[in-house]
Amino acid sequence: MTIKCNDTAFLIDTVKRKHPDAEERHPTANQHQFAFKCGLIMNIYNTGTVNFQGNSFENHTASDLINVIDMINRG
């Protein structure tokens, strides 16, 4: 699943606050990545694109993050 986020800095700050146990990575200069204990991986690109990998099907963490992105985009 790929979606757009209008404020990736806010999204990254929210993930760090709400999921302090998520492993933060920087695979490329244009990508921010979080790996969650549940197996979910979230990629955030500086273009505003966000996608999920790994255990994303019917995952509550993914659903919560999508809700955060929807809130950000409603501004």
Side-chain angles (χ1 to χ4, degrees):
M1 165 187 260
T2 300
I3 55 178
K4 283 286 194 178
C5 179
N6 294 337
D7 188 345
T8 57
F10 185 85
L11 177 60
I12 290 167
D13 288 343
T14 300
V15 172
K16 288 179 181 180
R17 268 195 332 275
K18 298 290 186 182
H19 301 277
D21 59 339
E23 183 182 341
E24 186 176 2
R25 305 174 187 154
H26 301 276
T28 70
N30 301 322
Q31 180 184 6
H32 209 100
Q33 186 179 78
F34 289 96
F36 299 88
K37 300 286 185 198
C38 63
L40 177 70
I41 296 174
M42 180 174 68
N43 298 296
I44 306 168
Y45 297 90
N46 62 1
T47 60
T49 298
V50 178
N51 70 21
F52 297 96
Q53 296 176 294
N55 182 22
S56 62
F57 182 72
E58 294 184 354
N59 183 301
H60 294 294
T61 302
S63 297
D64 291 345
L65 293 167
I66 290 167
N67 288 336
V68 170
I69 294 167
D70 286 343
M71 180 210 57
I72 291 169
N73 290 345
R74 281 193 304 267

